[in-house]
């Protein structure tokens, strides 16, 4: 059972915040936003990008959500929970992917460029006369008033 416990721990740390089953305002907002999102993506964006016909099945989902919002709001809760599970997993993976791409495409090339052009902003070894410290004693010229306006 430790594997299930690890999955539960991961899930409680990474899940998006959920509203309660009796939270009328939260579920109503979800109904309106999700209905608009489904129609916009599947009836507008995807047919336009893929140059295909406009499907009408997103209208059924929107009609169900908006009708249940008016008649019996707790019927929307299973749709809400299933969407939040999908959204939580997507949020976790997208964050990792985006951060990885930023690191690989931005930070590593900047570091390699700095190393190749000998413009590292740190010292690899302490100065010769101060063998046990990286502290750099600044001269009076470095402390002039416009030094921060013209740092390089």
């Amino acid at each position: 059972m430790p594997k299930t416990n690890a999955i539960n721990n991961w899930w409680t740390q990474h899940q998006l915040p959920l509203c309660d089953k009796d939270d009328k305002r939260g579920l109503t907002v979800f109904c309106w936003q999700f209905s608009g999102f489904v129609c916009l993506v599947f009836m507008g964006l995807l047919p336009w990008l893929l140059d295909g016909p406009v499907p009408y099945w997103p209208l059924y989902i929107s009609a169900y959500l908006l009708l249940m919002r008016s008649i019996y709001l707790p019927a929307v809760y299973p749709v809400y929970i299933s969407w939040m599970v999908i959204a939580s997993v997507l949020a976790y993976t997208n964050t990792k992917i985006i951060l990885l791409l930023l690191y690989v495409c931005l930070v590593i090339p900047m570091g390699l460029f700095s190393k190749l052009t000998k413009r590292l902003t740190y010292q690899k070894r302490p100065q010769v006369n101060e063998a046990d410290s990286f502290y750099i004693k600044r001269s009076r010229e470095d402390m002039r008033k416009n030094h921060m306006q013209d740092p390089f």
Side-chain angles (χ1 to χ4, degrees):
M1 277 272 190
K3 196 172 201 178
T4 307
N5 194 17
I7 292 171
N8 286 339
N9 288 340
W10 180 88
W11 178 249
T12 55
Q13 291 174 357
H14 294 95
Q15 74 176 355
L16 294 174
L18 298 173
C19 68
D20 293 330
K21 196 173 201 171
D22 57 349
D23 183 9
K24 291 182 181 180
R25 186 173 177 347
L27 290 176
T28 301
V29 168
F30 169 75
C31 288
W32 283 108
Q33 289 179 350
F34 194 72
S35 296
F37 170 76
V38 166
C39 288
L40 182 69
V41 170
F42 292 105
M43 292 180 71
L45 185 65
L46 289 178
W48 177 62
L49 288 176
L50 303 175
D51 201 26
V54 176
Y56 293 108
W57 61 265
L59 290 176
Y60 300 133
I61 294 174
S62 296
Y64 169 78
L65 287 173
L66 295 176
L67 187 65
M68 285 299 121
R69 182 193 67 79
S70 301
I71 298 172
Y72 185 62
L73 194 58
V76 174
Y77 198 68
V79 177
Y80 170 74
I81 290 295
S82 60
W83 175 251
M84 292 306 283
V85 167
I86 293 168
S88 296
V89 171
L90 287 175
Y92 176 78
T93 55
N94 285 344
T95 301
K96 300 298 180 194
I97 290 170
I98 290 169
L99 287 175
L100 175 70
L101 286 175
L102 280 174
Y103 182 76
V104 169
C105 296
L106 193 67
V107 176
I108 290 176
M110 285 174 53
L112 291 174
F113 179 75
S114 295
K115 192 171 187 173
L116 290 173
T117 58
K118 309 274 190 213
R119 291 182 179 212
L120 293 175
T121 57
Y122 62 90
Q123 291 180 332
K124 287 185 176 181
R125 295 187 182 100
Q127 292 179 352
V128 177
N129 56 356
E130 310 271 336
D132 59 344
S133 175
F134 285 91
Y135 179 73
I136 301 172
K137 189 161 187 164
R138 302 283 181 206
S139 66
R140 202 69 180 147
E141 185 178 312
D142 288 341
M143 296 184 182
R144 62 185 190 275
K145 284 186 179 181
N146 63 352
H147 177 67
M148 291 307 289
Q149 294 172 353
D150 186 23
F152 304 106

